[in-house]
Amino acid sequence: MQSALNLELFKQESSFTTLDYLKINVSSWNLGGAKPMEDVDISKWLFPLGKEYVPDMFIIGFQEIVPLTAKNVVTNKNADMISYWEKTIQRCLDQSTNGDYVKISNESMVGIYITMWARRNIQKHIREVTTSSNKLGVGNTLGNKGACSIRFKISTPPVAAGNSALMRSLQSRLERELQLP
């Protein structure tokens, strides 16, 4: 009985389903702790093909958003740089698309930041947005190394994106892999 029902549903699938494509630009930039130039233009980075390819969503990750000094690591001081990059992203999206995008979510740790933006017309379809971070710095308590992620649903399967900054050496990499969930 069940297989006959499944077969009939499959035959009529086009009458009750639609297929939509979602264009997502996933970008990452290691800033090296350097202070950005005033009013930096990131439009060629976010829209490398110009008007030929305009994504429905952006998931943007930055590493070393602040210099990884002992003071910044201990005090988790990156709010000013996060504010700067959010304004820069918003300005770029507004200028490139007449204000068609809104920020959906973000997550950060010392020097690591991930943010998600979507077109206003698909915002209502995005649900179950969650963020998380995993600190892997000294004693797994400092956020100078680790990862931030965003997970959401816009259709049946969930979508997840992560942004990480891990140690450089092979031995450190092996140690980090053992710590990841």
Side-chain angles (χ1 to χ4, degrees):
M1 168 93 175
Q2 185 66 31
S3 61
L5 178 60
N6 286 344
L7 180 61
E8 192 58 35
L9 283 172
F10 181 74
K11 287 179 185 176
Q12 297 181 31
E13 182 179 23
S14 63
S15 67
F16 58 85
T17 61
T18 59
L19 180 62
D20 288 321
Y21 293 94
L22 184 67
K23 296 182 282 186
I24 303 176
N25 177 328
V26 180
S27 301
S28 177
W29 188 357
N30 186 323
L31 299 167
K35 186 173 176 157
M37 299 180 312
E38 190 72 26
D39 295 328
V40 66
D41 181 9
I42 59 172
S43 60
K44 289 183 180 170
W45 180 50
L46 295 181
F47 299 95
L49 301 176
K51 301 288 182 189
E52 298 295 316
Y53 179 81
V54 178
D56 299 305
M57 298 179 70
F58 289 89
I59 299 174
I60 303 166
F62 293 107
Q63 304 85 39
E64 297 185 38
I65 198 166
V66 295
L68 296 178
T69 63
K71 180 181 177 184
N72 284 343
V73 170
V74 172
T75 61
N76 195 14
K77 224 168 179 179
N78 60 1
D80 290 344
M81 291 312 301
I82 288 173
S83 176
Y84 170 84
W85 283 108
E86 283 185 356
K87 288 176 186 172
T88 300
I89 292 166
Q90 184 73 65
R91 184 179 65 245
C92 175
L93 295 177
D94 286 350
Q95 290 171 354
S96 300
T97 65
N98 298 318
D100 193 28
Y101 291 87
V102 293
K103 185 175 86 170
I104 303 298
S105 188
N106 67 285
E107 181 68 41
S108 69
M109 297 187 331
V110 179
I112 304 171
Y113 175 66
I114 189 168
T115 183
M116 181 172 87
W117 300 70
R119 286 183 176 265
R120 292 180 191 280
N121 65 335
I122 66 166
Q123 179 183 12
K124 63 183 174 244
H125 301 289
I126 299 170
R127 58 194 196 287
E128 297 179 36
V129 177
T130 59
T131 63
S132 65
S133 60
N134 190 7
K135 295 179 180 180
L136 297 176
V138 178
N140 293 340
T141 59
L142 298 180
N144 62 318
K145 298 295 178 196
C148 294
S149 64
I150 294 177
R151 180 184 182 277
F152 62 97
K153 286 186 178 179
I154 193 160
S155 58
T156 304
V159 178
N163 182 28
S164 65
L166 304 174
M167 287 188 174
R168 296 182 185 140
S169 72
L170 177 60
Q171 180 60 35
S172 297
R173 191 189 103 211
L174 295 173
E175 290 172 12
R176 296 284 178 234
E177 287 175 1
L178 293 173
Q179 294 174 344
L180 293 173

